[in-house]
Amino acid sequence: MLRRALAGLLLIGAAVLPLQVGAATAEPPAAGSIGFDVHYGERGFKVGEALHQWHIGETRYELRLNLEASGLAGLFGLQYEQRSTGTIDRHGLRPERFSVEQRGRKPESAHFDWSGERVSIRRGDTERRSGEIRPGDQDLLSLWHQARRVARSGKSATVAVATGKSLKQATLEVLGEEVLDLPIGRVATVRMRAYAADGGLDIGIWLSLAHGLLPVRIRIEDEKGAVLDQRAARIELGPAGEATRANTNSNKN
């Protein structure tokens, strides 16, 4: 009987999650930045820092991620800049171009042709592959913010995700609420996961309930099992020059 009662409570909690998320969170500010501590490997050693900046207007958006690793991780190429730009429509973010610049390597990019329903994935000026896209499909960075839309719906979504190397058909699902102990303090989050059936994409995304479902932890595991874990260390809200540090002291109790 106790087991059945607990199972019933779990089902009730899962059913009301979309309502809790929608009621408890407003849209985040149109601009801001998140600083992450970057951890690498199974033991989670800190190897550097990353800065994510966003500007999401009514019709256009721009996202950036600058990751700087130190020591051996930096020497082995764990330093890069990602950028995603595009428009906004009724399906959410609509990427136009995604680029990755990494020290010692040719630039990689994904160019979205929505009228032709194709994305071209290139290294330098050379197309390496292409694929079909549909409304709602994303790139590796825009996915962080598109996840808010899926979290509020409470329903899994099928989405193609363009990286600098490939196009992966993935499932983006809501796993439930989870409290994290992060460098910014204790944060209540909605845990998401984007994964491809072939194992070529596996990204954990934790969205803060106290910060308009902004991403406060990103965990990426590659096909070889290597883990890159980014954990929020600071959040600044507002345009450049007017940003105010998010108050997280209440979450540290």
Side-chain angles (χ1 to χ4, degrees):
M1 292 295 293
L2 179 59
R3 184 176 298 176
R4 289 182 181 179
L6 289 172
L9 288 173
L10 290 172
L11 287 173
I12 292 172
V16 300
L17 177 60
L19 297 178
Q20 290 175 340
V21 169
T25 60
E27 285 296 319
S33 65
I34 303 173
F36 293 95
D37 288 348
V38 179
H39 301 256
Y40 185 75
E42 293 182 359
R43 297 186 179 181
F45 293 116
K46 182 179 176 181
V47 296
E49 297 180 345
L51 179 65
H52 171 51
Q53 298 168 295
W54 76 89
H55 187 280
I56 301 175
E58 294 184 3
T59 59
R60 294 197 61 82
Y61 78 88
E62 180 176 359
L63 311 173
R64 291 177 181 268
L65 177 70
N66 284 277
L67 189 149
E68 293 284 343
S70 56
L72 290 176
L75 292 176
F76 283 110
L78 195 59
Q79 292 184 337
Y80 55 79
E81 179 185 59
Q82 295 178 346
R83 183 182 179 192
S84 174
T85 57
T87 60
I88 299 171
D89 64 12
R90 65 186 182 88
H91 300 285
L93 301 188
R94 193 174 190 247
E96 293 176 340
R97 188 175 188 273
F98 171 69
S99 61
V100 182
E101 294 187 4
Q102 190 167 3
R103 188 175 64 180
R105 300 185 183 183
K106 289 185 177 182
E108 297 176 326
S109 58
H111 301 257
F112 293 77
D113 175 10
W114 291 102
S115 61
E117 299 182 334
R118 305 289 294 178
V119 61
S120 171
I121 296 173
R122 307 173 188 177
R123 173 177 289 175
D125 296 326
T126 303
E127 182 176 273
R128 302 176 64 196
R129 55 183 55 86
S130 64
E132 181 180 352
I133 53 174
R134 299 175 300 173
D137 288 345
Q138 301 297 315
D139 61 54
L140 202 56
L141 190 53
S142 66
L143 181 69
W144 294 17
H145 290 267
Q146 184 72 4
R148 278 196 296 276
R149 188 182 184 93
V150 177
R152 288 194 170 101
S153 75
K155 299 177 181 178
S156 297
T158 300
V159 57
V161 180
T163 72
K165 295 180 172 62
S166 63
L167 182 68
K168 293 293 185 182
Q169 298 296 325
T171 299
L172 179 58
E173 64 180 5
V174 185
L175 298 180
E177 295 184 17
E178 183 175 336
V179 176
L180 299 181
D181 287 317
L182 298 172
I184 59 172
R186 179 163 289 189
V187 182
T189 70
V190 177
R191 183 177 180 178
M192 312 284 293
R193 183 188 178 207
Y195 63 93
D198 64 1
L201 182 78
D202 194 345
I203 304 175
I205 305 173
W206 284 259
L207 307 173
S208 171
L209 288 165
H211 300 95
L213 296 180
L214 287 172
V216 290
R217 183 184 179 189
I218 304 291
R219 184 184 185 277
I220 302 172
E221 184 172 349
D222 67 17
E223 295 173 323
K224 298 179 181 179
V227 174
L228 184 69
D229 195 348
Q230 301 173 72
R231 306 171 189 173
R234 64 186 184 279
I235 299 176
E236 295 184 347
L237 306 177
E242 299 179 7
T244 56
R245 188 173 302 275
N247 182 6
T248 59
N249 291 337
S250 60
N251 294 324
K252 293 182 180 181
N253 296 330

